[in-house]
Amino acid sequence: MKSRIRFSSVLLVSLLGLVLSACDGKTQSTKPAGGPVEVGVVEVTRGDVPLEAELPGRTNAFRKAEVRPQVSGIIQKRLFTEGAVIKAGTPLYQIDPASYDAAFTSAKAELARAEANLAAAVARESRYKNLVAIKAISQQEYDDALATLGQSKASVQVAKAGVTTAKINLDYTRVLAPIDGVIGKSNVTEGALVSAGQADVLAEIQQLDPIYVDVSQSAEQLMQLRRQMAEGSVAALDSAKVRLLLGDGTAYEHIGSLQFAEVGVNESTGTVILRAQFPNPDRLLLPGMFVRTTLEEGIRTNAILVSQRGVTRDRTGNATAMIVNKDGVVELRTITVARTVGDQWLVLTGLEVGDQVIVEGLQKVKPGAPAKAVAASATKTGE
């Protein structure tokens, strides 16, 4: 019995020793290492930064013509292939020309009669002029002959205008394409009755090369940009370039140029329309497509950029950054940021040239703690 008690006591002492040894080891392992924490920093510099805005837009045809008849009649033929590329002056429809051909012939006959009457009036006036000089006829008779001559000349001019009008109407029976472009579907078929000035469109032609992209930008942002240009903090571009990102996420290979900004603001959306022009030789862009644009707005002079990894927000939403000051101590700065430029923030206030902003190891330090600043590229990404 005594031997069992002695064995239990020894076992208890051994277990207690092991527990104390483990606790002592844990305490030693959690003891912080000496020296400041190493953090990755970037040094603040100034430079000229191009300002770009990503804005939504829609494509619009460079030119668009709605084909309508200018004379009334029956459509005899459709002379084009739907969806084809056509040139200005290409025949599109043939309207029955019979009545207009007859009107043209009648107008030419009226002109011939007027010219014959004019010849007779000229001869009469010439004779009466000699007779009135020798008092063989009265002055009234000569005046009547002179008036008839004037009326005959006017009749000739009217007849010529009638011939021109009849010829124009006859030509209008052949409906021609007014512009170069791609023609859509035909809205009428052979045998349809059309009339001059009708509201219904026969077909529509759109010129797609080049092509317009209409972009919507906030009026407030545009006003702010123009104010900065007036102050001189942003330099204006001689010709703003625009790039496109298509609906499937691919970049459009051609670069566009900004043409103009609308003079009015949309009351319902508060936006201003900007129009850009793009080459479209392959007709990849079609009217009505939704695209994303990257618009060059200007150049910010003496700008400060800081990586987004080094900027956080406090509880009130203010942007903050931690820096390592000259004494090797972490310092918290409240900064003002304007916009993102790529993966960086454009900083307006709060940082100066030479400040070392912490971008790696933020979770390991706090304001007031010592830290060792090293170039961010020299630290490990996973730290």
Side-chain angles (χ1 to χ4, degrees):
M1 184 67 178
K2 291 182 180 180
S3 61
R4 289 183 179 178
I5 294 174
R6 188 181 298 110
F7 176 76
S8 299
S9 300
V10 172
L11 181 60
L12 180 61
V13 171
S14 300
L15 290 174
L16 181 61
L18 290 174
V19 171
L20 292 176
S21 176
C23 291
D24 184 62
K26 181 177 181 181
T27 303
Q28 290 180 357
S29 63
T30 57
K31 184 178 179 179
V37 177
E38 186 176 282
V39 292
V41 300
V42 291
E43 186 172 341
V44 174
T45 60
R46 287 186 180 271
D48 294 341
V49 178
L51 300 181
E52 296 181 338
E54 293 187 1
L55 303 170
R58 284 199 179 275
T59 55
N60 281 297
F62 182 73
R63 288 177 182 165
K64 183 166 63 175
E66 295 179 341
V67 180
R68 290 184 174 87
Q70 293 177 280
V71 293
S72 301
I74 301 295
I75 298 290
Q76 285 186 330
K77 295 179 181 179
R78 174 168 64 86
L79 306 173
F80 67 92
T81 302
E82 294 173 323
V85 179
I86 59 174
K87 296 291 185 180
T90 301
L92 303 178
Y93 297 94
Q94 178 62 60
I95 298 174
D96 186 2
S99 59
Y100 298 99
D101 192 18
F104 180 51
T105 302
S106 176
K108 289 191 292 183
E110 287 292 335
L111 175 59
R113 182 167 62 182
E115 289 175 340
N117 291 336
L118 175 60
V122 169
R124 185 180 298 109
E125 187 274 336
S126 179
R127 288 195 307 270
Y128 280 19
K129 185 176 184 180
N130 295 329
L131 292 174
V132 76
I134 61 175
K135 307 296 184 179
I137 61 173
S138 66
Q139 183 65 38
Q140 182 62 48
E141 290 177 310
Y142 175 71
D143 291 342
D144 292 342
L146 190 60
T148 300
L149 175 61
Q151 292 174 356
S152 298
K153 289 181 178 179
S155 296
V156 170
Q157 295 302 317
V158 171
K160 286 183 177 179
V163 171
T164 301
T165 301
K167 181 64 167 62
I168 290 173
N169 288 335
L170 179 60
D171 291 342
Y172 279 161
T173 61
R174 200 169 181 85
V175 182
L176 306 179
I179 62 172
D180 297 346
V182 179
I183 191 166
K185 66 182 182 64
S186 175
N187 295 321
V188 295
T189 60
E190 291 83 351
L193 175 63
V194 296
S195 58
Q198 68 180 33
D200 295 334
V201 178
L202 303 183
E204 188 175 83
I205 303 172
Q206 299 185 82
Q207 183 175 342
L208 304 182
D209 184 25
I211 195 169
Y212 286 134
V213 175
D214 290 339
V215 180
S216 299
Q217 184 178 38
S218 166
E220 182 180 351
Q221 293 178 352
L222 186 61
M223 185 183 302
Q224 181 181 7
L225 179 65
R226 289 179 174 175
R227 186 183 298 115
Q228 292 172 350
M229 288 181 179
E231 294 171 352
S233 58
V234 175
L237 298 171
D238 293 334
S239 111
K241 302 299 182 184
V242 187
R243 294 187 295 275
L244 278 187
L245 191 66
L246 302 179
D248 60 357
T250 59
Y252 186 58
E253 60 178 327
H254 300 288
I255 304 298
S257 59
L258 187 65
Q259 298 297 299
F260 74 95
E262 186 60 78
V263 295
V265 179
N266 188 308
E267 296 180 359
S268 59
T269 61
T271 57
V272 178
I273 298 298
L274 310 178
R275 170 160 283 186
Q277 180 177 313
F278 283 83
N280 192 28
D282 301 325
R283 298 197 298 278
L284 180 63
L285 300 178
L286 300 176
M289 291 178 63
F290 175 82
V291 293
R292 298 288 302 180
T293 65
T294 302
L295 170 65
E296 294 180 357
E297 296 181 309
I299 298 177
R300 181 87 183 194
T301 56
N302 294 322
I304 291 178
L305 293 179
V306 174
S307 172
Q308 294 183 21
R309 294 180 299 163
V311 178
T312 57
R313 298 278 179 176
D314 59 19
R315 293 181 179 179
T316 61
N318 296 320
T320 61
M322 286 200 289
I323 69 169
V324 179
N325 62 21
K326 296 180 180 179
D327 299 326
V329 177
V330 177
E331 180 181 336
L332 180 66
R333 293 275 185 89
T334 299
I335 62 177
T336 304
V337 294
R339 62 196 297 173
T340 58
V341 179
D343 61 349
Q344 298 178 305
W345 280 107
L346 175 61
V347 180
L348 300 181
T349 60
L351 294 176
E352 298 296 335
V353 175
D355 287 343
Q356 298 185 95
V357 179
I358 301 175
V359 296
E360 296 175 353
L362 283 169
Q363 71 278 9
K364 298 187 296 184
V365 293
K366 62 182 179 178
K372 179 182 178 182
V374 297
S377 59
T379 61
K380 295 181 181 180
T381 305
E383 289 183 353

